[in-house]
Amino acid sequence: MSSFVNYVKSILAKADGNKFTSSALSSFISSVRLNVSPYLTEDELRLWVANMILSGFKKTTRKRYFGKVKTLYNEWSSDGHPNPFGKAVDAIECDYDYNSSQTKANLEIIPRLLTKTKDSIGWEYINAFFYLLYNVEATLADAINLKFDDPIPNLPQIDDIMVAMKDTKQLKYVFGLNRGTKRAPQLQREFLDDLVATLQMSGMKFSEKFSRKSITAIWIAAALSCHIPLNELRSMITDIPDEYAFLSLIRPEEISKDRKVKILKTVANSINKKTTNWFVMRMRSGNTPEIIKKAIKDKASGIYDSMMFYSPTRISFREGKGKKKIREEIPYIPGILFFRTRYDQVAPIFAKIGDRAWCMKESNAVDARYSVISQEEMSNFQKCVGQFTDDIRINLIEVSRGLGKGRMVRITAGMMKDYQGKIEDVYDDKGTRIFFLQISNEKALKWTAEVDEAFIEPLNE
């Protein structure tokens, strides 16, 4: 049997300029075009109604469109299959309308907040706001109780918040909030009061009593501008803001962890593209990390002050005059220097020091983006390097030379605990394995280490 959607498409093709039929069927098809089942489900009808509300259709129009498609379904389905329209009648009878002008206006104020510095009034609350905005699944309690060693979403925007708050000399909690010995209800009440005062000072307005949902509403507005499908958006939200009440018509569905992370990244990037990340440079012959740092400091001092550098080294001793031992730091990866800065500052840096080094890109294509290493990957790599023994060697290799055969794993104990990345099969009888830190689509760092099988946890890619 041909699917109902295909049947609707055939009717639409024969609409002969009938504006009402064309509009009703086009609206329906645009919402359920990915349907692969022959029959229509209640969930698909609910999603269609929600999409109509989002598109600005009034209740009377929605009911007429709903009735038109229902008539076609009755004509098409003649085998007694359950009719889903009766189950979705509450959706079509609802009085929800869509008006998010205030929330969109608040979203437009975000760039103003992104220019604030640690000397700005309410700096701590601005960072708490952004943490809740980027991590839409976090509760107020999650933000209030967030500690520096707690797991966080792998977002460079949140990494920046953690770094910024460490600079304020917080010791345990990311957000100090003058907590003292305050009990949780008082702490949350004062947190909300100070947070809304800070946001209102920036120009934001909230018609309802300010709550976690007020920030969620701004995230939803950003997600919609990124064209996140409504069914996936609904599955990211626990408490639905009043201005997006129509989302309650959609039943949440399970989406994968990877998809959730991708959605969070997409929305966070739409809000704030000027994040700091780790990059990798190849130093030209005759240059050292010290020479590179001095060149950046001399030619791009405004950028240099906020940069971080990392060059993994091992200690070696050689005999000098009079058999005196001379201590040397030997780089694990000669010619490689990791550095952390904002993405938009990379090109200006190498415009100044291009004669000394170049930044690695995702591929060899002329218009390829600079290759980014996440804070989580970098932290795990640094942790591993800090425990390497003298026999460990790291090499820069072409990915095509074997990385594709690897598995994604997480090390749960031992020298490389918490490392997450690629591993090849056993290297020798001792259980030595080959690990990788992906630098670009075409290059990776490779090293070997002996890790017990019991400490290796396979991951889904």
Side-chain angles (χ1 to χ4, degrees):
M1 177 187 288
S2 176
S3 74
F4 176 62
V5 173
N6 287 334
Y7 177 72
V8 173
K9 287 180 179 178
S10 68
I11 299 297
L12 178 60
K14 303 172 186 176
D16 295 330
N18 186 311
K19 187 175 180 181
F20 169 73
T21 299
S22 296
S23 296
L25 303 193
S26 295
S27 170
F28 173 76
I29 290 172
S30 68
S31 180
V32 299
R33 58 177 177 267
L34 298 181
N35 177 37
V36 294
S37 170
Y39 297 97
L40 194 61
T41 67
E42 175 191 351
D43 286 341
E44 287 166 333
L45 283 176
R46 290 179 174 279
L47 180 60
W48 175 37
V49 174
N51 273 305
M52 283 196 286
I53 295 172
L54 180 64
S55 298
F57 292 127
K58 298 300 181 184
K59 182 178 178 180
T60 53
T61 302
R62 299 195 301 262
K63 292 184 71 171
R64 292 182 65 209
Y65 284 8
F66 192 85
K68 177 64 178 180
V69 175
K70 178 181 178 181
T71 299
L72 292 180
Y73 192 85
N74 290 335
E75 293 174 358
W76 172 82
S77 179
S78 57
D79 58 0
H81 192 274
N83 190 315
F85 286 85
K87 295 180 179 180
V89 69
D90 63 305
I92 201 61
E93 291 294 342
C94 76
D95 294 320
Y96 296 141
D97 281 319
Y98 174 54
N99 182 1
S100 63
S101 57
Q102 186 178 83
T103 300
K104 289 180 179 177
N106 286 341
L107 179 61
E108 291 174 359
I109 290 172
I110 295 293
R112 193 183 308 168
L113 285 174
L114 289 170
T115 65
K116 303 294 184 181
T117 67
K118 62 183 179 182
D119 297 322
S120 302
I121 297 174
W123 170 243
E124 183 175 46
Y125 294 96
I126 290 171
N127 279 284
F129 163 74
F130 277 117
Y131 177 78
L132 290 166
L133 181 61
Y134 300 137
N135 188 9
V136 72
E137 295 182 299
T139 64
L140 288 176
D142 291 335
I144 291 170
N145 299 318
L146 182 65
K147 299 174 183 176
F148 285 107
D149 57 355
D150 285 344
I152 56 174
N154 183 16
L155 298 175
Q157 291 84 357
I158 291 182
D159 290 338
D160 284 352
I161 292 172
M162 303 298 277
V163 171
M165 296 315 298
K166 276 186 178 179
D167 286 346
T168 63
K169 309 303 180 186
Q170 302 285 3
L171 298 177
K172 181 179 180 181
Y173 293 99
V174 177
F175 308 112
L177 308 178
N178 300 313
R179 67 183 65 230
T181 58
K182 297 172 185 173
R183 297 174 65 85
Q186 179 186 359
L187 190 57
Q188 180 165 311
R189 185 172 60 253
E190 291 181 359
F191 173 62
L192 278 175
D193 289 344
D194 290 335
L195 182 55
V196 70
T198 301
L199 297 178
Q200 288 174 333
M201 195 161 43
S202 72
M204 290 189 181
K205 296 179 181 178
F206 304 95
S207 56
E208 302 293 332
K209 181 176 174 58
F210 183 79
S211 67
R212 172 62 175 104
K213 293 194 290 186
S214 305
I215 302 174
T216 301
I218 300 175
W219 185 89
I220 293 174
L224 290 173
S225 71
C226 296
H227 306 291
I228 303 298
L230 280 190
N231 56 327
E232 292 185 330
L233 193 157
R234 172 66 184 93
S235 298
M236 299 288 291
I237 305 300
T238 302
D239 295 322
I240 301 173
D242 291 345
E243 54 265 63
Y244 294 102
F246 67 89
L247 290 175
S248 63
L249 300 176
I250 306 169
R251 288 192 288 221
E253 60 186 42
E254 286 293 324
I255 57 177
S256 70
K257 182 179 178 181
D258 287 345
R259 178 55 184 162
K260 282 189 174 184
V261 170
K262 188 172 182 179
I263 291 172
L264 290 176
K265 285 184 175 180
T266 298
V267 178
N269 288 336
S270 76
I271 294 169
N272 177 15
K273 294 184 178 68
K274 293 185 177 181
T275 56
T276 52
N277 299 277
W278 282 101
F279 302 88
V280 187
M281 71 170 77
R282 289 296 303 268
M283 296 178 288
R284 302 188 189 277
S285 179
N287 287 277
T288 65
E290 290 69 30
I291 292 174
I292 295 296
K293 291 176 190 177
K294 186 178 185 304
I296 298 175
K297 188 173 183 179
D298 291 343
K299 299 179 180 181
S301 59
I303 297 176
Y304 176 84
D305 292 340
S306 62
M307 292 180 69
M308 294 175 63
F309 299 90
Y310 178 61
S311 177
T313 60
R314 57 188 176 88
I315 304 301
S316 178
F317 293 89
R318 63 179 176 83
E319 283 193 5
K321 292 181 180 180
K323 295 185 178 181
K324 184 179 179 180
K325 294 290 185 180
I326 298 177
R327 183 179 184 273
E328 291 183 330
E329 287 192 33
I330 301 175
Y332 274 114
I333 327 155
I336 290 289
L337 178 61
F338 296 91
F339 64 101
R340 190 171 189 265
T341 191
R342 285 201 335 238
Y343 190 96
D344 62 317
Q345 293 177 333
V346 176
I349 289 171
F350 288 92
K352 301 287 187 181
I353 66 161
D355 59 328
R356 297 189 177 278
W358 50 273
C359 187
M360 297 184 71
K361 294 188 174 184
E362 291 179 346
S363 69
N364 291 326
V366 177
D367 59 347
R369 288 175 54 82
Y370 294 113
S371 187
V372 172
I373 300 175
S374 74
Q375 181 62 50
E376 181 182 33
E377 291 174 307
M378 198 64 197
S379 295
N380 287 337
F381 176 61
Q382 289 173 314
K383 188 175 181 179
C384 292
V385 170
Q387 301 179 74
F388 280 171
T389 53
D390 290 342
D391 61 331
I392 296 289
R393 295 295 181 268
I394 308 177
N395 306 105
L396 185 66
I397 65 163
E398 299 292 330
V399 171
S400 59
R401 292 169 58 189
L403 181 58
K405 294 184 294 183
R407 293 172 293 161
M408 286 298 298
V409 299
R410 179 187 294 113
I411 308 302
T412 60
M415 178 185 76
M416 291 178 58
K417 182 180 178 182
D418 294 331
Y419 172 81
Q420 181 173 315
K422 288 275 188 180
I423 176 180
E424 273 204 352
D425 291 333
V426 176
Y427 180 73
D428 60 22
D429 293 338
K430 295 179 181 179
T432 302
R433 291 170 169 82
I434 303 173
F435 294 86
F436 297 91
L437 173 69
Q438 189 89 25
I439 286 183
S440 70
N441 293 337
E442 299 170 347
K443 295 186 185 297
L445 295 180
K446 180 185 83 170
W447 69 93
T448 60
E450 192 173 321
V451 179
D452 191 288
E453 184 78 28
F455 299 155
I456 298 177
E457 176 185 274
L459 300 176
N460 294 324
E461 295 201 50

